[in-house]
Amino acid sequence: MTFSTFESTFKGTISRDPSQSSQYIVYPTDAEDVSNAILFAKDNKLDLAIAAGRHSTCGASSSKGVVIDLSKHLNGVRVDAENRLAYVQGGAVFADLEKEAIKYGLAACGGTVNDIGVAGLTLGGGFGWLTGEHGLALDNLISAAIVVANGDILTASASENSDLFWGTRGGGSNFGVVVELVLQLYPQRCQVYTTSLTYTANLLPILVQQINKWTDKQAPNEGGSLTISTNADGEVVATFFGFKNADAQSGEAAFKPFVALGPIENKSGMVPYEQLNTMQNRFISPGHKLHWGVHITRLDLKIFKKTLEGFKRIVNDCPAASASNVVFEFYHHDKFSSVPVDATAFAARNPAYNVLITTQWKDASFTPISKLCTQELATVIAEAASSDPASNLGYANYADGFAGVNKNDDNARLLFGSNYPRLQEIKERYDPDMVFNKWFAIRPSV
């Protein structure tokens, strides 16, 4: 397909600005446009990437060839309230979904910030505040419309192209461009309880002790996180964020012991559900960033102390990275870990806690050492947790330090574990030429 033919059939918009890093950025209006963009890239041997929420820091949404950007025209959300289903286009972000669903007293399983793409988060896992009650986002995917490498537009569900459906739930963007997802919705109260408590760093030992007491009795409708960051004065602080899907009285009772520890800042109370995932957006700064994930299976004080020491080294030695942070997430494990490992492509079903390191900077002088600094902190955390840093990839959606390293499939094998051979077979069927190769790229079976 020549460019003139592609341009004449493409209904969306095409950007060929010489100042942009990509040769072509295309903004499709429907699945047919996406199909034509894929075929144009293949016929002209152009590298291809998919963009939507653009939270990835591993280059999965970038290409010097063609970028298919779904965010401009394919960002709609339609709710079927009677059947509790949401029809979400591939470029929508969770803010779009949450605002629409809550109009009907419904909600989908999502993340912890609202500007992330629904498709990217769902296909890679989908931990969030409702995980304890309803599982991962991918466990609530009913079907998906996917444009695969040969340009075909397929429906993937339990009854149609079931192998593709299995692989897509956890396999991310390895098999095609998802132009629409159908997600299960659940009844959701309009107001929820949240607490944001900031402590001086010297209180970390008693704070960790209280987190352990709380997680021992944690209810499925409760979630939490601990963020190590710097405040406006440049001081390193620890912020506990707690959530309870209940009324104010229940929420206050659940987190009262945390308040008793003496935070220097206390922001607690009921908030509209659709505001829940805006409350941690403040930890995301504009500019350059790099994500790195780690899994921990226990909440030992040693892990948190080593994290604090490593984080202080980064912000003290490199003030340009002072907006960086480390987040420990605490979700009730039972629901997501009860799903068999081979039920979907997502293999990380063991009850573990996600750790997300986000290195953020504006000064370009930090760029050359950003990956090394982030990796060193991840190594410190993994070793404190008595695990091998080379094999502790963490949660897939946070593992950008590994996701874009696709010279071989070592990282993909580690991530998918025993599910990898089956994924290779699916890759062979739907993308034998590895057109989609940006995120934990799966090698086709031979």
Side-chain angles (χ1 to χ4, degrees):
M1 182 186 294
T2 64
F3 177 73
S4 59
T5 301
F6 173 52
E7 187 178 34
S8 67
T9 58
F10 194 76
K11 299 182 287 296
T13 52
I14 302 171
S15 174
R16 300 183 68 187
D17 188 336
S19 65
Q20 67 193 22
S21 59
S22 306
Q23 192 171 349
Y24 305 95
I25 301 178
V26 301
Y27 301 92
T29 60
D30 56 20
E32 185 180 16
D33 273 354
V34 172
S35 176
N36 285 332
I38 294 171
L39 295 177
F40 169 70
K42 284 181 64 179
D43 288 349
N44 293 277
K45 296 180 171 56
L46 295 170
D47 185 57
L48 180 67
I50 310 161
R54 290 188 179 272
H55 260 247
S56 170
T57 65
C58 71
S61 300
S62 304
S63 172
K64 292 182 179 180
V66 178
V67 174
I68 299 175
D69 192 331
L70 306 175
S71 65
K72 191 171 185 177
H73 303 302
L74 289 171
N75 56 17
V77 175
R78 178 175 64 86
V79 171
D80 176 353
E82 182 178 355
N83 293 302
R84 296 178 181 172
L85 297 174
Y87 294 78
V88 184
Q89 290 186 311
V93 296
F94 269 97
D96 303 321
L97 173 56
E98 290 162 355
K99 290 175 183 176
E100 188 63 24
I102 200 64
K103 293 177 183 178
Y104 304 92
L106 299 170
C109 293
T112 57
V113 293
N114 72 345
D115 62 346
I116 194 167
V118 177
L121 179 135
T122 301
L123 304 185
F127 284 94
W129 299 121
L130 300 183
T131 290
E133 293 180 273
H134 307 306
L136 302 179
L138 65 79
D139 293 327
N140 290 281
L141 179 63
I142 303 301
S143 67
I146 306 175
V147 187
V148 293
N150 67 358
D152 287 351
I153 303 166
L154 304 178
T155 297
S157 69
S159 59
E160 195 171 353
N161 299 304
S162 59
D163 57 344
L164 182 60
F165 184 55
W166 181 89
T168 297
R169 290 176 293 159
S173 57
N174 263 291
F175 305 108
V177 181
V178 173
V179 292
E180 185 178 68
L181 308 94
V182 181
L183 296 170
Q184 183 70 58
L185 299 177
Y186 296 93
Q188 175 58 48
R189 56 183 300 118
C190 293
Q191 296 273 328
V192 297
Y193 184 84
T194 66
T195 183
S196 179
L197 306 168
T198 302
Y199 304 84
T200 55
N202 66 298
L203 290 180
L204 186 63
I206 61 171
L207 179 55
V208 172
Q209 184 180 45
Q210 178 53 45
I211 289 172
N212 274 281
K213 290 180 180 178
W214 168 68
T215 54
D216 284 344
K217 300 178 180 179
Q218 184 180 4
N221 68 340
E222 295 174 0
S225 66
L226 178 67
T227 302
I228 295 175
S229 64
T230 57
N231 62 15
D233 298 321
E235 300 166 330
V236 176
V237 294
T239 302
F240 177 79
F241 185 86
F243 157 75
K244 191 171 180 76
N245 201 4
D247 57 30
Q249 185 177 2
S250 299
E252 289 171 359
F255 299 111
K256 183 178 179 180
F258 289 93
V259 177
L261 299 180
I264 55 176
E265 183 179 72
N266 181 347
K267 295 181 179 179
S268 303
M270 301 295 288
V271 299
Y273 175 78
E274 63 271 26
Q275 289 184 19
L276 172 65
N277 279 350
T278 68
M279 302 185 73
Q280 296 197 93
N281 288 354
R282 63 191 175 99
F283 292 113
I284 302 173
S285 298
H288 306 285
K289 56 177 61 68
L290 176 61
H291 297 315
W292 210 289
V294 180
H295 271 146
I296 60 175
T297 56
R298 60 190 189 282
L299 304 177
D300 288 354
L301 178 58
K302 175 186 175 182
I303 298 171
F304 292 88
K305 280 186 172 181
K306 290 293 185 181
T307 302
L308 182 63
E309 292 170 3
F311 180 78
K312 284 182 175 180
R313 279 197 297 273
I314 289 180
V315 298
N316 289 337
D317 295 346
C318 307
S322 61
S324 304
N325 56 72
V326 182
V327 182
F328 295 81
E329 297 180 335
F330 316 115
Y331 306 117
H332 196 278
H333 294 144
D334 288 0
K335 188 73 174 180
F336 80 84
S337 64
S338 66
V339 178
V341 170
D342 61 357
T344 68
F346 186 82
R349 294 292 181 175
N350 291 331
Y353 299 99
N354 301 326
V355 183
L356 170 62
I357 303 166
T358 302
T359 312
Q360 302 182 114
W361 68 99
K362 295 180 181 178
D363 187 341
S365 65
F366 182 72
T367 302
I369 61 171
S370 58
K371 183 173 182 178
L372 178 62
C373 290
T374 310
Q375 185 175 13
E376 285 180 348
L377 183 51
T379 297
V380 166
I381 297 171
E383 289 180 344
S386 302
S387 66
D388 177 11
S391 60
N392 188 335
L393 308 188
Y395 166 40
N397 281 340
Y398 294 165
D400 285 1
F402 297 95
V405 183
N406 292 312
K407 293 180 181 178
N408 56 49
D409 62 352
D410 291 351
N411 291 330
R413 288 179 181 276
L414 280 172
L415 181 73
F416 298 114
S418 59
N419 289 333
Y420 191 67
R422 184 178 178 188
L423 285 165
Q424 289 185 284
E425 294 174 2
I426 299 169
K427 187 74 168 178
E428 175 67 29
R429 178 175 181 183
Y430 294 101
D431 185 21
D433 299 321
M434 293 187 67
V435 172
F436 305 104
N437 56 33
K438 295 290 187 178
W439 184 86
F440 287 108
I442 297 166
R443 299 281 197 243
S445 59
V446 178

